[in-house]
Amino acid sequence: MSYGIPSAEPSAQAPVCPRHPDRPSYVSCQRCGRPACPECQRAAAVGFQCVDCVNEAKRSTPEVRSVYGGAVATGKPLVTFVLIAACALLYVLQWLVPNDAIYQALGFANIYAEPQYGEFEPWRMVTSAFLHSQGFVLHIALNMYMLWIFGQALEPLLGRVRFLALYLLSAFGGSVGYLLLTSLYSPGQPLYGVVGASGAIFGLFGAMLLVQRQRGGDTRQLWILIAINGVIGFLVPQIAWQAHLGGLVTGALAAAVIAYTPRGPRQGLIQAAGLVALLVLLSVAAWVRVSL
């Protein structure tokens, strides 16, 4: 008489991640119920969701935009951080790289905008805004402090892309202002270079002034700040007040394009067209100046 030995029940198969079938996954998505491996899990308000559900939620959720049409920039002002980091890095390189090579490559002087001397390098009108005087450390310190203060206010309000466009346009406008309001280079005359973010910073002054007025805010402190810094530009030697003025006007004009464009589906397109038109206007003014 033989006795059979009962066989064990087959074990249930372990759940696996749909995106990685070779990985057993015992955590289920709170939204769709499918298993998700650690790589595909995303923390949710309660439990975890899979990466597919998170992506689907992002696609179906309307993007929150500011009154000026830019995507609302939450968290840290990343563009402001990047601009400050770029200026700081180049300042360190100005000290480390021998033979003043950084200034020679990126600095701006009138000769670099005059094609008749074979030195037409218009990008310097922007790159010079990322260099600062090595003989006066307060030059970069004050500019970066102002960039930090005004960047925190304007970047979340305008959106990162619009803020960056305004900053770079203001830097370019500062160089154009210097070009328009100083004598052109002539062979044999001393060649004076221009460096510093001051033109771009004055552009932020002008932008903040216009935005405050457009929103009905108090602008008295801004006027005082602009007046004090403007007067310093005339009293302290070797400060290019022309660049300050050019940046201030450019920043105000760029902010006007952004702030006064009516809201609607084509708001971003109209703003982009207006900023490009401002860039073209500045470029034509510089070209006419050096072509006379």
Side-chain angles (χ1 to χ4, degrees):
M1 186 174 183
S2 61
Y3 297 91
I5 299 175
S7 60
E9 292 278 337
S11 60
Q13 187 176 6
V16 296
C17 174
R19 294 168 62 91
H20 303 96
D22 59 326
R23 303 178 187 178
S25 306
Y26 296 97
V27 175
S28 298
C29 172
Q30 295 295 315
R31 187 172 180 181
C32 68
R34 295 182 300 174
C37 69
E39 184 178 338
C40 296
Q41 295 171 16
R42 299 293 183 268
V46 178
F48 295 90
Q49 291 185 8
C50 66
V51 65
D52 293 324
C53 286
V54 171
N55 291 336
E56 179 61 29
K58 287 181 179 179
R59 287 192 294 268
S60 60
T61 302
E63 188 176 28
V64 180
R65 293 192 169 272
S66 71
V67 66
Y68 300 121
V72 174
T74 58
K76 296 180 180 179
L78 295 181
V79 173
T80 301
F81 275 140
V82 169
L83 292 172
I84 292 174
C87 290
L89 175 61
L90 285 172
Y91 190 69
V92 172
L93 290 177
Q94 284 180 260
W95 285 99
L96 296 180
V97 178
N99 301 321
D100 210 16
I102 299 298
Y103 170 75
Q104 296 297 331
L106 302 177
F108 174 67
N110 281 354
I111 190 174
Y112 295 117
E114 299 183 43
Q116 61 266 37
Y117 297 114
E119 298 285 353
F120 185 59
E121 298 177 351
W123 62 85
R124 292 173 177 269
M125 301 176 78
V126 175
T127 58
S128 60
F130 292 88
L131 306 182
H132 288 83
S133 171
Q134 294 173 262
F136 187 52
V137 70
L138 283 179
H139 187 210
I140 186 172
L142 292 175
N143 278 343
M144 294 304 98
Y145 176 72
M146 287 297 176
L147 174 53
W148 169 243
I149 295 297
F150 283 84
Q152 288 186 93
L154 286 171
E155 183 176 336
L157 190 62
L158 302 180
R160 288 174 179 144
V161 174
R162 288 163 177 78
F163 174 75
L164 179 60
L166 184 145
Y167 184 89
L168 295 178
L169 272 173
S170 298
F172 181 60
S175 294
V176 173
Y178 179 79
L179 187 63
L180 296 178
L181 298 175
T182 56
S183 58
L184 297 178
Y185 173 74
S186 297
Q189 291 185 350
L191 184 63
Y192 298 103
V194 180
V195 294
S198 301
I201 299 302
F202 267 79
L204 299 186
F205 291 169
M208 196 68 191
L209 180 65
L210 188 133
V211 168
Q212 279 287 85
R213 287 183 62 86
Q214 193 262 347
R215 292 164 59 89
D218 187 4
T219 60
R220 286 175 294 181
Q221 291 185 349
L222 277 171
W223 280 114
I224 293 173
L225 178 65
I226 293 171
I228 291 174
N229 282 275
V231 169
I232 290 175
F234 286 97
L235 296 180
V236 178
Q238 296 184 340
I239 290 183
W241 61 265
Q242 302 91 339
H244 294 177
L245 182 59
L248 179 70
V249 172
T250 302
L253 290 175
V257 169
I258 296 171
Y260 287 101
T261 299
R263 300 191 70 177
R266 296 189 176 183
Q267 183 182 23
L269 182 62
I270 296 172
Q271 288 172 335
L275 294 177
V276 170
L278 178 57
L279 175 62
V280 171
L281 177 63
L282 292 170
S283 301
V284 170
W287 179 261
V288 171
R289 172 60 169 157
V290 299
S291 300
L292 291 177

